[in-house]
Amino acid sequence: MTGPKARITKAVIPAAGLGTRFLPATKATPKEMLPVVDKPAIQYVVEEAVSAGMTDVLMVTGRNKRPLEDHFDRSFELEEALRRKNDMTRLSQVRLSNGLADIHYLRQGDPQGLGHAVLRAASHVGDEPFAVLLGDDLIDPRDVLLDRMAEVRHQYGGSVVALMEVAPELTRLYGCAAVAAADGAGVVRVTDLVEKPPPGLAPSNYAVIGRYLLDPGVFDVLRRTGPGHGGEIQLTDALRELAGSGAAGPVHGVVFTGRRYDTGDRADYLRTIVRLAWEREDLGPEFRDWLLKFVDGRKPVTVGT
């Protein structure tokens, strides 16, 4: 079933980037495996997909990404060591990632942009609607986004993107959408898209963030989409054609106003860790006490003393 009422069970997570903004940490460690408190960023993304009913996950990877596969595989030696210690809490945490979803891996090969990575998933996805989740964007599980996007697709068909209002000086960092009114709270119809527009030339302050529900018709468009911004094949350009032609249904946007964490930026990555650790029941009380004293300019209390 490929119509607007089709249930989306497949998710594609592009994960072939080199993570150059986090060098030298990412020289031998995939950026997707950098810990956010005590869990790699990529696990948050997979858990979000699974919570929205997506049980078939394809990661489009590249060289040096083998740790991703290892993380979502069984680790018999580690499990046995934890079992011998009777550390059942950590054992359950380790096992959690093993059975989250049916996870597949496909190498992108010559990386030519996000559009190229999505196109590589065509044979796996087939003619089904599917989700694309970018690993740099973490959506707080308390602020459900994918389910709302699925509702909009159920109503209108076609494709749905997540949008967020950003300051005008930041539009140059995103794909930005021109929009028109649509029925439904926080829903707009996308009429045009521009990838990373020059300052002052963005069609609006609505930036596309890393969540997409796509009609499989996007693959035909991507096959004929040439290099765009940065010399790469841009998913934004393919969605722009879909929005203009309506050949595979319209493109709508859900305006997200919840908590989003950008782990692809070093400063935001640090802020994400602080925010999530602050709210943790097991870490929060001690961490908040230390952080408040640190911010007040007092000598931090050494943990364990």
Side-chain angles (χ1 to χ4, degrees):
M1 183 177 182
T2 61
K5 296 183 180 180
R7 179 170 172 263
I8 296 179
T9 61
K10 292 184 176 180
V12 175
I13 302 177
L18 297 176
T20 53
R21 284 180 287 183
F22 282 86
L23 286 171
T26 50
K27 179 180 178 181
T29 301
K31 66 174 182 177
E32 297 83 5
M33 289 300 298
L34 294 179
V36 178
V37 187
D38 53 5
K39 188 163 60 176
I42 191 68
Q43 185 170 330
Y44 289 89
V45 178
V46 174
E47 288 175 354
E48 181 189 354
V50 171
S51 70
M54 300 168 195
T55 56
D56 185 327
V57 175
L58 174 68
M59 294 190 189
V60 182
T61 68
R63 289 178 289 276
N64 301 323
K65 299 287 184 169
R66 181 61 184 271
L68 293 174
E69 299 183 38
D70 291 339
H71 178 71
F72 291 100
D73 198 1
R74 292 284 303 273
S75 178
F76 294 101
E77 298 84 354
L78 177 58
E79 290 182 22
E80 181 57 29
L82 293 171
R83 190 181 296 108
R84 286 197 302 267
K85 294 180 179 179
N86 199 32
D87 192 342
M88 306 313 292
T89 298
R90 288 189 173 86
L91 179 60
S92 64
Q93 292 171 342
V94 167
R95 285 178 169 173
L96 176 63
S97 61
N98 304 341
L100 279 173
D102 188 8
I103 302 180
H104 311 268
Y105 304 90
L106 173 69
R107 288 199 175 188
Q108 185 175 357
D110 182 18
Q112 300 176 46
L114 176 58
H116 179 259
V118 172
L119 182 57
R120 291 284 288 134
S123 60
H124 181 85
V125 170
D127 62 354
E128 299 180 38
F130 65 105
V132 174
L133 295 84
L134 303 190
D136 289 344
D137 278 334
L138 306 188
I139 303 298
D140 195 295
R142 295 166 294 185
D143 299 317
V144 178
L145 175 58
L146 289 175
D147 286 345
R148 176 59 179 146
M149 293 173 68
E151 291 172 359
V152 173
R153 187 182 184 279
H154 186 276
Q155 179 178 358
Y156 293 105
S159 300
V160 182
V161 300
L163 301 175
M164 180 183 69
E165 283 197 81
V166 300
E169 63 270 17
L170 297 180
T171 55
R172 61 183 176 81
L173 302 175
Y174 297 89
C176 292
V179 301
D183 294 333
V187 180
V188 294
R189 181 169 60 86
V190 176
T191 60
D192 197 7
L193 287 156
V194 180
E195 179 66 20
K196 296 182 179 178
L201 297 181
S204 75
N205 290 353
Y206 286 116
V208 180
I209 58 176
R211 297 295 181 270
Y212 310 78
L213 299 186
L214 301 179
D215 185 275
V218 72
F219 292 128
D220 288 336
V221 178
L222 283 169
R223 290 186 183 100
R224 60 176 182 267
T225 299
H229 185 276
E232 298 181 332
I233 298 174
Q234 299 291 348
L235 180 59
T236 301
D237 292 341
L239 288 170
R240 180 185 192 186
E241 181 172 334
L242 288 180
S245 69
V251 178
H252 281 83
V254 170
V255 181
F256 183 66
T257 58
R259 287 158 285 198
R260 165 188 175 255
Y261 311 113
D262 182 1
T263 61
D265 175 83
R266 290 178 300 172
D268 279 344
Y269 171 76
L270 294 174
R271 284 190 283 266
T272 298
I273 293 174
V274 170
R275 290 178 65 178
L276 295 181
W278 180 281
E279 296 176 352
R280 285 268 294 262
E281 291 184 3
D282 57 338
L283 297 173
E286 182 178 32
F287 180 67
R288 289 192 295 268
D289 180 67
W290 179 89
L291 188 59
L292 289 170
K293 291 177 180 177
F294 179 78
V295 171
D296 284 343
R298 305 172 189 170
K299 182 179 179 181
V301 177
T302 303
V303 174
T305 62

